[in-house]
Structures are given as C-alpha cells and as structure tokens.
C-alpha cells in the first residue's frame, strides 16, 4: 500500500517521494516476507498462527521445501521428455495450439455478449481475427513444424545448454534480491529517511532512473548471454556437427566463452537500448499511478514506450542470433537482420510465432501436471498452507508455478534455437543438407509447400 503518512512538511510529499516510498515499502515487504516471514517476533501473531495450525494442520517450512523440490524435479523430468514428444508430434502440437486459441477466443466472444456492446464487438472481432490468422498460416504449418523439430533436435543433442538456462534463472533471482536491497538502502541514505519512512528531501529523478537502468540492463544482459550461447551452439551443430552433438560438447563451451568475451560488448550494447526504454516506461508508469499523474499524455507515452520496447526486443532476438553464429558486432548483425526480413519477410515472423505458441502451451501443460501432483501430495501428506479454504489452491498454485517456470526456462532454449535454425536455413542450406540430410530433406519439402 502507498504510504499514507506524508513526508516531512518541508518537502511537501511530491510524486517522487510517494513513488519511492511505495517502492521501498514494497521491496522491504517482499524481502522480509521471503527470507524472514517464518520468524515473526510478534507473540500475538505467533499465538494466532499456533491456533490456526491446531485447526488446519501444520505449516512447516520443511513441507514447503519438500513440495517445491518434488514439483521442480517432476517438471524437469517431464519437460525433458517433452522435447522428444515435440520432435515426434510437432505438426499436431502447432495445429492444436491454433485450434485452442480459436476455442479460447470463441468463449471470450460469447461471454462478452453479456457485458456491453463494445465488449461484444471486441470479442467478436478478436475471434474473427484469430480464425483468419489460423486460415492464413495453416499452409505454413509443415515448414514451422520442421523448424521446431530441427531446433528441438539441436537442443536435445546439446542438453548441457540447460545448465546455463537454469543457472541464469538463479542469477536473475539473486540479482533481483540484491538490487532491491541496494535500491532501498541507497534511496534511504540519499533522501535522509528514518525508520518510519519519513524523508528529509525528495529523491533525485536522475538517481532513480540510473538505479532502474542498472536493474533492467543487467537483467537483459543475463538473458541475452544465454540466447547468444544457444545461437552459437546451434550454429556449431549446423556447420560442424562433430563439435556440437553431445551434452557438454565443445560447441556449448566455446559458445558460452565467446558470449562472455568476444561478443559481450555487442550483447551489452543491444541490451542497453532495451533497458533504457524499460526504465523510461517504469518511470512513466509510476507517474501515472501516482496521485499527480494519470493524464492522457502519460498514457500515450507509456503505450509508445511499450511498442518501442517490443520492437527493440524482437529486433535484438534476431540480431543476437547473428552475433552468436558469426561473431558479428551488434551493428553488423542489425544489417543482416534487415536483409533477412527483406528476403524471407512474413515467413520468418509466422514460423517464429507458430513455434512460440507451442512452447507456451507445453509450459502451461507441464505446469498443470505438476500442480495436480503437488495438490495430491499435499492432500496425502496433510500439508496445509494457509487456511482451510485456501490450502488446496495454495498447493496447486505452488506446483503450477514451479512447473511452468522450470519448463519455460528449458523452452527458451528451443525458442532461441528456432530463431537460429531460421537464420541458418536462409544463410546456409547446403551445409544443412551435407551434415543433416534427413532433416534437410524434410525441411526442403515443407519449404516448397509454404
């Protein structure tokens, strides 16, 4: 909640002060809840908790860790097995994802009919556009499926990439926690705040922007290092399969080393562009949510920044593929991205979009499975998290989130590999035919159909 107590009267409680106190309180709450929530020193609250445990069971931290561990292990096994399933049934999965989207928008359209004329119009239009999109891209499904199969095969042949994917996840979590502590501490010191959140002066807008920029920039760099590593590994598998066809192959090791040495400057430059937009959008959003903001101009600014962020992230996705495969600088890679879209156009976008739909669906499916298993384990072992009504929902939610996160982390490797396969097939189809003749034959046939 936004701090109701105004700052010292000398500074008047401007938007920056309210915004920063809200973020500081929110960060403190999250950190304390995550790391010290079980050590409540308030005797009254502890007595209430003990009374609740008598009524609803035990809420031991050991039960929580057991449920998290089982969910993560199960998700890891299922998501790894899903790679083989995706290779065998890629076309079926893409078709199912399209039909599922049509069904979901149909349900939304029907429900919107009972809300308002505008909602009904929006729902019907969304349904019509979804059906039209499925009709247009249906003939390109075989080519998208071949790309997905090839990408999944490359990742499965170099499964050591998963180490970097899961490692980056833990690094991101650690960085987020460390940044929140540093963020709160820095602003408390520079603003002269006391323990109750009363500050002597407002925070500097420049300092606030720089702190946000540091967070988003680092986050983008970590993510893109993994993306470039995958691109380099799949490129090695494509051109020199003898060096990129084992779990911890030379291609995996060399690609990671290049991404944090030779290509690190390009990664930082591309990541900085996105981070600047993200930090600017965060400040605009905070302005809108403050008591002083909310005008139409801020709304338009946030919308434009969101669109710019999406464009830059999509451009970077393809640029970093060229960085990973050929070691280009970021500017050289950008020129090659433009050439790629000139030659392949909508086929590139559609193929990528169809593959992303399948990966999202697989992540959600594994999350549902782990959620159901977690619910069964919690019921069988008498684990209770929260009150009686929320116990089942909490255990299912824990399993679902863990399963979806673990699977989506692995699927990001396949996503990066799909982008790399699209680039490699446009740049070097002959090498693909020489090194992977069976996959090349299937891809060539599907390309003719598309």
């Amino acid at each position: 909640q936004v701090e109701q107590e105004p700052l010292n009267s000398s500074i008047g409680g401007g938007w920056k002060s309210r915004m920063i106190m809200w973020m500081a309180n929110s960060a403190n709450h999250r950190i304390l809840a995550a790391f010290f929530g079980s050590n409540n020193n308030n005797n009254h609250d502890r007595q209430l908790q003990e009374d609740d445990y008598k009524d609803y069971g035990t809420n031991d931290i050991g039960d929580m860790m057991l449920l998290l561990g089982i969910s993560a292990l199960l998700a890891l096994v299922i998501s790894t097995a899903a790679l083989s399933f995706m290779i065998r049934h890629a076309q079926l999965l893409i078709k199912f994802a399209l039909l599922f989207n049509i069904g979901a928008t149909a349900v939304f359209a029907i429900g919107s009919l009972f809300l308002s004329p505008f909602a009904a119009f929006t729902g019907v239009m969304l349904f019509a556009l979804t059906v039209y999109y499925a009709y247009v891209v249906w003939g390109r499904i075989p080519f998208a499926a071949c790309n997905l199969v090839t990408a999944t095969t490359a990742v499965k042949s170099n499964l050591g990439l998963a180490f970097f994917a899961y490692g980056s996840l833990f690094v991101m979590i650690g960085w987020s926690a460390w940044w929140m502590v540093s963020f709160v501490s820095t602003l408390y010191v520079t603003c002269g705040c006391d323990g109750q959140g009363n500050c002597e002066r407002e925070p500097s807008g420049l300092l606030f922007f720089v702190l946000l920029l540091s967070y988003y920039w680092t986050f983008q760099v970590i993510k893109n290092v993994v993306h470039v590593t995958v691109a380099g590994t799949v490129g090695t598998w494509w051109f020199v399969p003898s060096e990129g066809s084992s779990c911890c192959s030379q291609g995996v090791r060399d690609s990671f080393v290049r991404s944090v040495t030779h290509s690190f400057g390009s990664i930082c430059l591309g990541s900085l562009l996105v981070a600047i937009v993200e930090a600017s959008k965060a400040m605009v959003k905070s302005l809108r949510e403050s008591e002083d903001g909310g005008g139409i101009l801020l709304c338009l600014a946030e919308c434009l920044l969101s669109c710019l962020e999406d464009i830059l992230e999509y451009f970077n996705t393809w640029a970093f593929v060229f960085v990973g495969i050929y070691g280009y600088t970021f500017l050289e890679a950008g020129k090659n991205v433009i050439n790629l879209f000139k030659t392949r156009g909508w086929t590139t976008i559609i193929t990528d979009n169809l593959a992303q739909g399948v990966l999202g669906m697989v992540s959600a499916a594994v999350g549902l499975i782990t959620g159901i298993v977690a619910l069964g384990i919690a019921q069988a072992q008498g684990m209770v998290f929260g009150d009686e009504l929320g116990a089942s929902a909490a255990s299912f939610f824990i399993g679902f989130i863990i399963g979806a996160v673990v699977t989506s982390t692995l699927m990001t490797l396949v996503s990066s590999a799909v982008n790399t396969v699209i680039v490699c097939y446009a740049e070097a189809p002959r090498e693909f035919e020489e090194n992977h003749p069976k996959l090349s034959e299937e891809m060539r046939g599907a390309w003719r159909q598309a």
Side-chain angles (χ1 to χ4, degrees):
Q1 302 232 343
V2 179
E3 181 70 33
Q4 297 298 322
E5 179 72 20
L7 300 177
N8 290 352
S9 58
S10 59
I11 60 174
W15 69 267
K16 294 179 184 176
S17 300
R18 286 193 297 272
M19 176 176 62
I20 209 58
M21 292 310 305
W22 176 82
M23 295 190 68
N25 290 336
S26 178
N28 276 325
H29 175 75
R30 291 178 183 177
I31 295 169
L32 293 174
F35 296 102
F36 306 108
S38 61
N39 298 320
N40 193 338
N41 293 322
N42 188 296
N43 294 329
H44 178 68
D45 291 344
R46 183 174 296 173
Q47 183 62 44
L48 290 177
Q49 290 174 358
E50 291 175 356
D51 293 341
D52 290 340
Y53 298 159
K54 293 177 182 179
D55 294 335
Y56 305 126
T58 61
N59 190 6
D60 185 47
I61 189 65
D63 291 342
M64 175 74 74
M65 297 307 297
L66 176 63
L67 199 61
L68 290 173
I70 293 175
S71 299
L73 182 61
L74 180 63
L76 188 62
V77 172
I78 297 176
S79 59
T80 304
L83 296 177
S84 299
F85 185 82
M86 288 164 58
I87 292 174
R88 290 194 296 267
H89 305 288
Q91 282 201 45
L92 178 64
L93 289 172
I94 293 176
K95 292 177 180 178
F96 181 82
L98 285 174
L99 294 175
F100 179 83
N101 287 337
I102 293 175
T105 53
V107 172
F108 175 77
I110 294 173
S112 64
L113 295 175
F114 301 95
L115 298 178
S116 67
F118 178 77
F121 174 77
T122 303
V124 172
M125 286 298 298
L126 182 61
F127 172 72
L129 289 173
T130 305
V131 172
Y132 179 72
Y133 174 77
Y135 171 77
V136 170
V137 305
W138 197 265
R140 300 175 187 265
I141 289 178
F143 182 68
C146 286
N147 276 272
L148 182 59
V149 168
T150 303
T152 308
T153 302
V155 171
K156 191 178 178 183
S157 299
N158 298 272
L159 207 53
L161 289 168
F163 170 80
F164 297 103
Y166 292 121
S168 69
L169 179 64
F170 286 108
V171 171
M172 287 178 179
I173 294 173
W175 163 245
S176 298
W178 184 87
W179 181 86
M180 279 195 292
V181 174
S182 301
F183 176 83
V184 173
S185 301
T186 300
L187 291 171
Y188 261 64
V189 171
T190 57
C191 298
C193 302
D194 57 25
Q196 285 71 42
N198 298 312
C199 302
E200 297 177 358
R201 53 190 173 274
E202 291 190 5
S204 167
L206 178 61
L207 176 62
F208 183 74
F209 178 79
V210 169
L211 289 171
L212 286 176
L213 180 63
S214 68
Y215 175 76
Y216 289 118
W217 192 8
T218 304
F219 198 90
Q220 286 289 328
V221 168
I222 296 170
K223 182 182 72 171
N224 290 326
V225 163
V226 177
H227 181 52
V228 171
T229 301
V230 175
T233 303
V234 175
T236 302
W237 174 85
W238 188 280
F239 292 100
V240 192
S242 60
E243 297 181 3
S245 298
S246 62
C247 180
C248 297
S249 64
Q250 181 181 345
V252 174
R253 299 192 302 271
D254 291 348
S255 297
F256 175 72
V257 171
R258 285 196 304 271
S259 68
V260 295
T261 54
H262 176 74
S263 301
F264 194 67
S266 297
I267 293 173
C268 290
L269 176 58
S271 300
L272 177 61
L273 299 178
V274 177
I276 291 173
V277 177
E278 286 183 321
S280 300
K281 189 180 74 171
M283 292 196 70
V284 172
K285 185 176 181 179
S286 297
L287 274 170
R288 286 193 62 210
E289 293 177 351
S290 69
E291 295 178 7
D292 302 320
I296 185 65
L297 292 179
L298 290 176
C299 181
L300 291 174
E302 184 179 357
C303 180
L304 290 174
L305 287 171
S306 296
C307 293
L308 182 58
E309 177 188 357
D310 293 339
I311 293 172
L312 286 175
E313 284 196 328
Y314 195 73
F315 180 85
N316 279 0
T317 297
W318 296 100
F320 287 137
V321 169
F322 284 97
V323 171
I325 297 174
Y326 302 110
Y328 290 157
T329 65
F330 181 74
L331 296 179
E332 292 173 335
K335 296 177 183 177
N336 283 274
V337 172
I338 295 173
N339 292 332
L340 172 68
F341 281 96
K342 283 182 179 179
T343 55
R344 291 301 174 97
W346 286 106
T347 300
T348 299
I349 299 175
I350 291 172
T351 302
D352 178 44
N353 186 265
L354 291 174
Q356 300 304 323
V358 172
L359 301 180
M361 182 181 67
V362 171
S363 299
V366 175
L368 287 173
I369 294 173
T370 54
I372 294 172
V373 172
L375 175 60
I377 293 174
Q379 294 291 336
Q381 297 297 321
M383 301 177 185
V384 177
F385 307 101
D387 57 26
E388 188 174 24
L389 294 177
S392 298
S395 57
F396 174 82
F397 184 75
I398 291 171
F400 176 81
I401 292 298
I402 294 297
V405 169
V406 169
T407 306
S408 62
T409 302
L410 184 62
M411 291 301 115
T412 56
L413 301 179
V414 180
S415 175
S416 298
V418 168
N419 300 139
T420 308
V421 167
I422 293 173
V423 170
C424 287
Y425 191 70
E427 298 274 317
R430 180 172 299 179
E431 287 80 355
F432 186 45
E433 183 178 2
E434 293 174 356
N435 297 321
H436 307 280
K438 183 179 179 180
L439 290 171
S440 176
E441 182 181 357
E442 295 175 354
M443 184 89 76
R444 203 165 51 247
W447 173 249
R448 294 193 189 100
Q449 296 180 33

